[in-house]
Amino acid sequence: MSVVRLPETVTVTAAQIRETASRIGVEVPEEDLDAYRVFLSGLDSCIDQIEAEDDYLPFLDAERFPRSNVHRPTPEDNAKEFNAWAYKIHIASTNTEDKAGPLAGLTVAIKDNVNIATVPSLLGTDVLQEPYVPEYDATIVTRILRAGGTIVGKAACENFCLAGSSFTNAHAKVMNPLAPGYSAGGSSSGSAALLAGATPVVDIAIGGDQGGSIRLPASYCGIVGLKPTYGLVPYTGIVSLSSIIDHTGPMTTNVLDNAKLLSAIAGKDGLDDRQIEAPEFGLDYHTPLLAYANDPKAAVKGMRIGVLVESLEVPGLDARVRDKVKAAAELFRGLGAEVVDVSIPMHTLGRIIWTVANTQGISEQALRGQNPVRSGVHDAKLTKALAHWDTEMFKKAQLHNPAVNVCLLGGEFFKTTYPGVTDKAINLSRKLRDTYEAVIKQQQLDVLLLPCTPTIANYTSQVSDSIIEKMGKATGIGLNTSPLNVSGHPAISIPIGMLPVVEPGREADKDLKLPVGMQIMAGLWQENKIYRAALAFEKSFDWRVL
């Protein structure tokens, strides 16, 4: 590269050159320091001009979408709603046409990593000195408002969205409405908790899913959660974990509402470069399902459904969960579907690919604000806030969620010790995608069944627990979900039954039953098939008595 011009004033010191060089492991000869000071000062002179410009962010129509009553609920009030709120707000469109949209009359909770202008994003952490306050609405927020939805708050999420359990939020632990003290799953814990229970707090919610974070809490809480095909729903204005696995999607109490919410948010927005292969905005997943609402058997009659053998053999899978999935497969057979066992050996490598492909990305992109040079909308203020970590921040993260620090250290470890391994793992993620697609096409499968969480919800950890104890509560939880994040395949979690608690140390809860979640996955962009199978099961059986 070349500099635009030589600077009028040399602003970079020799010490800065030496320090910068040492970070990349080189030493600049003393006799050349002044030359590099000149050229880097040329770069430095560009900064002032960029900083002087107004940022170029998506337009916020505050008149059409006014926001009011923005506040954090008191700890006492939040505890009444399972500690599931980060902020409460009220946003509804003033436009007459919007008010008559498909989401009219529905209250919506938005996961706290999704931008809502003027409303702080806590991100489940106390590491930042000041919460990040977005200046624009995420694309999906605007689309929900245009569809007539009323946004009533930001749902609490796990610490930096890096947890499959709901015990890591630095402000308050999100509780499972079905069993206080038990995990609601993560990282979209608040979204799930607000939907679960006898009387849901909201009608529909948005979650995020980079390793299972929509499906895991859906499984633990007995709700419906869909991770769409990678790129189907725009990620513009949502805090990234790792750009190759970022997904956002609908969480609901039933399948029809899930399809309705997906219809409102899916399709290209012209800003998110994850959406290269995505269809245009204006999809309808809901209307076609209505034809099956009173005839659920018709939704799956003639479908060819595979049971993914390797998913039933993952380490730590409760045999009772395996039996529930097998029983659900037989129920599908009874509805008129053809059900077959399917082997995809590479599925077991998927979780390893996920780990190696994303640890460095999470460390640099999500935790240190080192955003890659990609097109789209960047949140410069958040990048600045995360650019420099210190020991105090490290200690705060460790207290609530040691997984944050594992990613921080692990990303740097991979980068410096095994250069190139992340790149190879990303290449293998395409192989995993192609392998799933090949089997689905060769065996003419409509959908595949596999367990979601390997167990039912477990009991809370304590802040005083060791790092090993805290991490142990979530270890292995995403073995069957994370492979579909790196492959990009769509998958939904639906409840298929209940199981009694058998967790060591919780013998007093032996009469308590908690939900079992099952995933239904399909080929890329085949959400319609997933919805048909999910609706057929939901309308034909009461999972609470299975």
Side-chain angles (χ1 to χ4, degrees):
M1 66 169 290
S2 64
V3 294
V4 174
R5 65 185 180 190
L6 295 179
E8 296 179 1
T9 305
V10 175
T11 56
V12 177
T13 66
Q16 286 177 304
I17 296 292
R18 293 190 190 98
E19 181 184 353
T20 301
S22 69
R23 290 185 193 138
I24 57 174
V26 301
E27 183 176 337
V28 176
E30 286 292 317
E31 64 270 21
D32 296 327
L33 281 173
D34 284 344
Y36 284 108
R37 288 180 61 204
V38 170
F39 288 122
L40 263 66
S41 293
L43 299 177
D44 206 22
S45 68
C46 296
I47 301 300
D48 290 339
Q49 294 184 58
I50 294 298
E51 293 284 17
E53 293 290 323
D54 291 334
D55 206 346
Y56 190 55
L57 300 174
F59 173 68
L60 172 64
D61 192 340
E63 291 187 8
R64 185 175 181 177
F65 309 124
R67 43 222 65 200
S68 61
N69 198 26
V70 178
H71 68 282
R72 287 193 68 185
T74 65
E76 293 76 19
D77 286 342
N78 208 10
K80 296 174 184 176
E81 294 180 334
F82 323 112
N83 296 325
W85 292 110
Y87 267 83
K88 284 192 173 182
I89 52 181
H90 183 275
I91 313 176
S93 178
T94 59
N95 180 280
T96 302
E97 186 176 336
D98 295 345
K99 291 179 180 180
L103 301 184
L106 298 179
T107 54
V108 191
I110 304 292
K111 187 177 180 180
D112 190 34
N113 69 332
V114 179
N115 285 2
I116 298 180
T118 74
V119 183
S121 293
L122 300 179
L123 306 179
T125 190
D126 60 355
V127 165
L128 301 177
Q129 289 188 346
E130 296 291 337
Y132 161 58
V133 182
E135 298 176 59
Y136 67 99
D137 288 342
T139 297
I140 60 171
V141 168
T142 301
R143 287 181 174 179
I144 286 169
L145 293 170
R146 285 178 175 169
T150 299
I151 296 175
V152 294
K154 299 197 78 177
C157 64
E158 295 311 296
N159 207 304
F160 279 111
C161 297
L162 276 171
S165 296
S166 67
F167 312 143
T168 71
N169 189 295
H171 308 287
K173 296 178 182 180
V174 179
M175 294 296 165
N176 191 322
L178 306 180
Y182 281 78
S183 175
S187 63
S188 307
S189 48
S191 296
L194 292 167
L195 290 163
T199 306
V201 179
V202 296
D203 297 313
I204 54 179
I206 288 291
D209 194 314
Q210 282 93 351
S213 291
I214 286 174
R215 292 160 290 159
L216 303 177
S219 177
Y220 276 180
C221 289
I223 64 166
V224 178
L226 175 81
K227 181 198 80 67
T229 300
Y230 178 75
L232 178 61
V233 178
Y235 209 80
T236 303
I238 305 177
V239 178
S240 176
L241 204 58
S242 176
S243 56
I244 64 171
I245 52 169
D246 288 332
H247 300 74
T248 190
M251 303 176 72
T252 57
T253 60
N254 62 77
V255 174
L256 281 171
D257 278 353
N258 203 277
K260 183 182 290 187
L261 180 51
L262 182 64
S263 301
I265 61 177
K268 286 184 177 180
D269 72 348
L271 294 170
D272 183 7
D273 63 2
R274 299 168 184 80
Q275 294 195 285
I276 293 174
E277 299 177 0
E280 297 297 323
F281 177 63
L283 301 161
D284 185 358
Y285 297 94
H286 180 253
T287 303
L289 279 184
L290 296 176
Y292 304 111
N294 297 318
D295 188 11
K297 280 189 175 183
V300 291
K301 185 176 181 181
M303 263 195 176
R304 185 170 167 84
I305 296 177
V307 179
L308 183 54
V309 173
E310 285 77 12
S311 74
L312 300 177
E313 300 169 351
V314 298
L317 180 68
D318 187 333
R320 302 176 304 159
V321 171
R322 181 188 302 118
D323 291 344
K324 288 290 186 185
V325 172
K326 288 183 175 180
E330 290 304 311
L331 291 173
F332 272 120
R333 194 191 306 275
L335 292 176
E338 179 186 3
V339 179
V340 296
D341 287 342
V342 174
S343 177
I344 307 178
M346 197 178 180
H347 176 75
T348 61
L349 186 63
R351 52 192 178 266
I352 306 300
I353 294 173
W354 185 98
T355 300
V356 179
N358 291 288
T359 298
Q360 183 181 332
I362 292 170
S363 173
E364 295 180 353
Q365 186 171 345
L367 300 178
R368 291 189 284 169
Q370 298 175 7
N371 286 332
V373 180
R374 307 172 61 228
S375 60
V377 181
H378 289 248
D379 294 322
K381 289 199 305 182
L382 182 60
T383 297
K384 289 180 181 179
L386 291 169
H388 302 289
W389 279 64
D390 56 32
T391 302
E392 185 62 27
M393 294 167 71
F394 190 88
K395 287 180 179 178
K396 285 183 176 181
Q398 180 173 296
L399 180 65
H400 296 287
N401 189 14
V404 171
N405 293 350
V406 171
C407 284
L408 270 173
L409 297 174
E412 190 66 19
F413 178 72
F414 277 176
K415 182 178 181 179
T416 56
T417 310
Y418 302 107
V421 71
T422 293
D423 303 281
K424 183 175 181 180
I426 292 172
N427 289 341
L428 289 174
S429 70
R430 290 186 292 105
K431 182 179 180 181
L432 180 64
R433 176 198 67 196
D434 293 346
T435 299
Y436 285 134
E437 283 292 280
V439 172
I440 289 170
K441 290 175 182 176
Q442 289 167 6
Q443 300 201 27
Q444 298 181 315
L445 300 170
D446 290 292
V447 297
L448 281 159
L449 308 180
L450 54 165
C452 190
T453 52
T455 67
I456 57 175
N458 50 28
Y459 198 72
T460 183
S461 62
Q462 303 297 324
V463 172
S464 58
D465 286 347
S466 69
I467 293 174
I468 296 294
E469 289 172 324
K470 290 174 183 174
M471 293 285 287
K473 284 288 185 179
T475 297
I477 191 174
L479 293 180
N480 274 326
T481 55
S482 59
L484 307 186
N485 286 88
V486 285
S487 77
H489 281 80
I492 202 168
S493 178
I494 62 169
I496 59 166
M498 302 277 279
L499 286 173
V501 170
V502 293
E503 183 176 345
R506 301 305 309 170
E507 288 76 15
D509 295 335
K510 61 182 176 62
D511 296 326
L512 175 65
K513 289 187 175 183
L514 293 173
V516 178
M518 180 180 72
Q519 291 186 91
I520 304 174
M521 71 169 284
L524 298 170
W525 316 108
Q526 298 301 308
E527 280 78 2
N528 56 333
K529 291 183 178 180
I530 289 175
Y531 279 137
R532 283 174 52 192
L535 183 72
F537 193 93
E538 176 184 273
K539 291 291 187 180
S540 300
F541 311 106
D542 183 355
W543 62 270
R544 294 170 182 81
V545 298
L546 290 178

